[in-house]
Amino acid sequence: MATPMTDEEFTELAHAAWPGLYRTAYLLLGDHQLAEDLTQTALTKTYAARRKIKDPAAAPAYARVVLANTATTWFRRRSWRNELPTEILPEGGLDRDLSTGPAVVAALATLPPRQRAVIVLRYYDDLSVREVAHALGVSEGTVKSQTSDALAKLRAVLGDDVVPATEGAHHD
Amino acid sequence: MTERLTMLFHEEASTIDVPVPPADAVLSRGQGLRRKRRTVTAVVGAVAAVVLVGTTLTVAATLRGDSQLEPADLPQEAAYQQLGAWARGDEVHVGNHVAVVPGIRSLQYTSLGALVISSTDDAAAFSGATLVSPDGTTHELPYPGIAVDAAASPESSYVAYADVVDADTWRLSIVDLASGGLVYTSDPMHLGKFDSADIVALTGDLVTFYKNHEVTSMDVRSGDLVPLPDQGLFGQSGLADGSFVTSDEAGWQVRSRDDGAVLLSVPYGLGGRYDQSSISPDGAWLSVSTTDGMRVYEVATGDFVDLPGDRDVEDYGWTPDGHLLGKRYPNAASEVEVCDPATGTCTGLGQEVTSEILLVRAPGTGAAL
């Protein structure tokens, strides 16, 4: 049985992992308050489960899976199920000058929540298809089809330069 | 390819304002959650002790030192058919029995019991395959090639899987759990750089798999390829014995496997943005999302029943005989339940819902929650 992290070790982990987890959460949700709630919830669950984490170095990855899983649970709630993708930009918080070109983060807001999650985990967090399937609790086939659909929509918004047309021809 | 997309993601994400991490609040909430879990575990244990009167706890006995057996309310096979299988943590619930298999990754039905794919290594897709019989006994299976995406059917003792030869080559292999023998293995098939080999479903005598992103079916008895007669606008999204599900811009269609004839059409819109469907293994029932739960159609008649409340198609699988088996949302106090698709009557199994529950999903729509 591995020795669980002490509170001090976990606090250190929380500080180190927070920015990355928060950014992923914001990309998934497009809202600062929800992103903070999601990140805090993911770290809280990670703390509660820290006895199961044999290697402290694996804790950030564990927290990321918990974060994605929790986001999926939120998506299933009725308020998310009725959410419509938006044609407008998400709330403020980006310093990027959007007038210089289409913003990827803004384009994400045009996707349904689940497709958004697949894209963020695949292309921002660089998870494999199998890892995304595990994190979201869906099959690899679902990840592939959602990725394909989402890339097609992003291509329409961002253009072929950002999402080459060949990306729609395969899912991996 | 997508390097520019990834680069822009990181560039833009780096400008997102990140608040100070509330580490103290996380610790406080985490400690509270641990206390809550210990309390819940104790309560669930007490409930389980009551619920298990009239049921049996078998293989778990070897790990728990509890070998008490009680008569089943239903014959074991009938219980397996009607109650199906689901998993929570390391527990596999099969009919009236509970077995323990560490590291459960996926569940499938076979005619001999529930096929459990497990791995105790998070980085590995596979470390073992176990058959849990309707009487609760476990049998480790000696097929190292069987992985999470293997396909089985409640009507058959066959299991189909992609047997990986090397990084670029695989074979479709089918074993018969009844005889223990290999009944079919294909010639080696090459995988291109972006190809994948996914076994989608085993329905009746047909095994369906993706090869180079094309859906292909093969008769496991003859080895003949059997194309789907009509995959609709977006391809198949569910497979059953004798039928399959397609979708277009308007809704779902259940089609005959023989000639593609539409057996049932259901329009989108009932579920808002989250239109989803799931067909029962025998093709008799189709469940779809609604904004207030699920609607279950009888394919033959078009009659339906509504299962309102915090229920979602994603959270329900099927039992071998076509009952719905699932859970309400994790954020609602509820339990695992079995629902009769003909009447809409749901019966709780006395097991608290957790976010870790694993179900047998409809063929062709993915593995598990």
Side-chain angles (χ1 to χ4, degrees):
Chain A
M1 178 70 71
T3 304
M5 282 180 284
T6 64
D7 285 358
E8 290 72 24
E9 289 171 331
F10 187 83
T11 300
E12 190 177 330
L13 161 78
H15 277 282
W18 176 269
L21 293 173
Y22 181 87
R23 290 189 173 102
T24 295
Y26 181 82
L27 294 174
L28 291 174
L29 304 171
D31 179 282
H32 280 294
Q33 187 57 55
L34 289 173
E36 188 165 353
D37 286 350
L38 179 61
T39 309
Q40 194 175 142
T41 299
L43 284 171
T44 298
K45 290 182 176 179
T46 303
Y47 175 86
R50 70 193 198 284
R51 288 177 185 279
K52 294 194 298 187
I53 304 172
K54 296 174 184 173
D55 180 1
Y62 182 92
R64 192 169 299 279
V65 170
V66 171
L67 185 143
N69 254 317
T70 304
T72 302
T73 301
W74 289 10
F75 293 158
R76 287 178 185 154
R77 293 177 181 171
R78 195 166 301 118
S79 57
W80 284 98
R81 293 163 74 192
N82 293 332
E83 185 204 38
L84 293 174
T86 179
E87 296 298 329
I88 61 175
L89 302 179
E91 61 156 289
L94 299 175
D95 294 330
R96 179 185 169 87
D97 180 5
L98 300 177
S99 66
T100 60
V104 174
V105 174
L108 273 179
T110 66
L111 300 177
R114 184 149 335 197
Q115 290 184 10
R116 203 182 306 159
V118 169
I119 291 296
V120 169
L121 296 176
R122 286 282 282 127
Y123 298 109
Y124 177 68
D125 285 320
D126 199 28
L127 301 188
S128 68
V129 169
R130 186 173 292 265
E131 289 168 332
V132 174
H134 176 60
L136 297 179
V138 299
S139 72
E140 292 183 44
T142 297
V143 172
K144 292 171 186 173
S145 62
Q146 295 273 14
T147 301
S148 181
D149 291 350
L151 287 177
K153 290 173 183 169
L154 289 178
R155 185 179 309 116
V157 176
L158 299 169
D160 284 348
D161 289 347
V162 176
V163 187
T166 52
E167 293 306 318
H170 61 76
H171 308 301
D172 227 1
Chain B
M1 297 303 192
T2 51
E3 290 85 356
R4 182 159 166 72
L5 179 65
T6 297
M7 185 193 72
L8 288 174
F9 255 139
H10 284 276
E11 179 186 315
E12 295 185 16
S14 68
T15 68
I16 294 173
D17 296 330
V18 178
V20 175
D24 289 344
V26 168
L27 280 182
S28 175
R29 287 178 62 192
Q31 288 161 350
L33 185 58
R34 280 182 57 206
R35 284 193 294 272
K36 183 180 175 187
R37 281 186 179 168
R38 282 199 294 269
T39 305
V40 168
T41 301
V43 171
V44 170
V47 171
V50 174
V51 170
L52 286 171
V53 172
T55 66
T56 60
L57 184 64
T58 52
V59 177
T62 59
L63 297 178
R64 294 179 169 181
D66 178 1
S67 58
Q68 295 178 352
L69 301 178
E70 298 287 345
D73 285 335
L74 294 168
Q76 291 162 352
E77 177 61 25
Y80 170 58
Q81 292 292 323
Q82 187 171 335
L83 301 179
W86 57 280
R88 179 180 55 193
D90 292 341
E91 293 182 348
V92 186
H93 295 243
V94 178
N96 282 335
H97 297 261
V98 183
V100 171
V101 179
I104 300 166
R105 298 289 291 273
S106 75
L107 291 174
Q108 304 246 13
Y109 294 127
T110 76
S111 61
L112 302 177
L115 172 67
V116 182
I117 306 298
S118 60
S119 171
T120 53
D121 177 357
D122 283 345
F126 167 84
S127 68
T130 305
L131 179 74
V132 183
S133 300
D135 65 4
T137 55
T138 59
H139 315 269
E140 290 190 14
L141 302 176
Y143 310 113
I146 296 181
V148 170
D149 61 357
S153 162
E155 304 295 325
S156 169
S157 58
Y158 287 2
V159 176
Y161 61 99
D163 192 6
V164 177
V165 178
D166 54 43
D168 301 320
T169 315
W170 69 288
R171 286 183 300 222
L172 170 62
S173 295
I174 300 170
V175 293
D176 183 354
L177 301 185
S179 67
L182 184 67
V183 296
Y184 176 83
T185 186
S186 71
D187 292 333
M189 291 185 270
H190 181 70
L191 279 178
K193 183 176 179 182
F194 297 111
D195 293 342
S196 60
D198 290 343
I199 307 301
V200 179
L202 182 64
T203 50
D205 288 339
L206 295 179
V207 59
T208 302
F209 54 98
Y210 276 107
K211 179 174 177 291
N212 300 342
H213 309 298
E214 295 291 333
V215 178
T216 304
S217 289
M218 187 192 78
D219 189 313
V220 299
R221 308 281 175 185
S222 65
D224 294 338
L225 294 180
V226 184
L228 288 175
D230 183 347
Q231 296 191 36
L233 187 60
F234 300 128
Q236 68 82 23
S237 56
L239 293 158
D241 188 1
S243 61
F244 62 104
V245 181
T246 61
S247 59
D248 58 19
E249 293 165 327
W252 308 103
Q253 304 88 37
V254 179
R255 296 175 182 271
S256 165
R257 193 92 186 216
D258 293 333
D259 56 10
V262 175
L263 307 174
L264 175 73
S265 289
V266 178
Y268 292 145
L270 295 170
R273 290 291 307 177
Y274 281 82
D275 283 309
Q276 293 180 329
S277 74
S278 174
I279 192 166
S280 62
D282 60 4
W285 309 97
L286 181 78
S287 66
V288 300
S289 304
T290 69
T291 52
D292 184 33
M294 298 189 297
R295 176 167 291 180
V296 188
Y297 288 88
E298 185 176 13
V299 172
T301 64
D303 294 341
F304 63 83
V305 295
D306 285 324
L307 300 176
D310 289 336
R311 297 182 172 97
D312 195 347
V313 168
E314 279 205 352
D315 296 327
Y316 285 77
W318 298 91
T319 69
D321 74 352
H323 281 69
L324 283 155
L325 169 65
K327 57 169 184 172
R328 294 188 177 186
Y329 295 163
N331 57 325
S334 189
E335 62 183 2
V336 181
E337 62 182 7
V338 172
C339 300
D340 185 335
T343 64
T345 304
C346 295
T347 305
L349 300 184
Q351 302 287 326
E352 179 172 320
V353 165
T354 74
S355 60
E356 299 169 340
I357 184 174
L358 196 68
L359 299 165
V360 180
R361 300 293 305 281
T365 57
L369 296 175

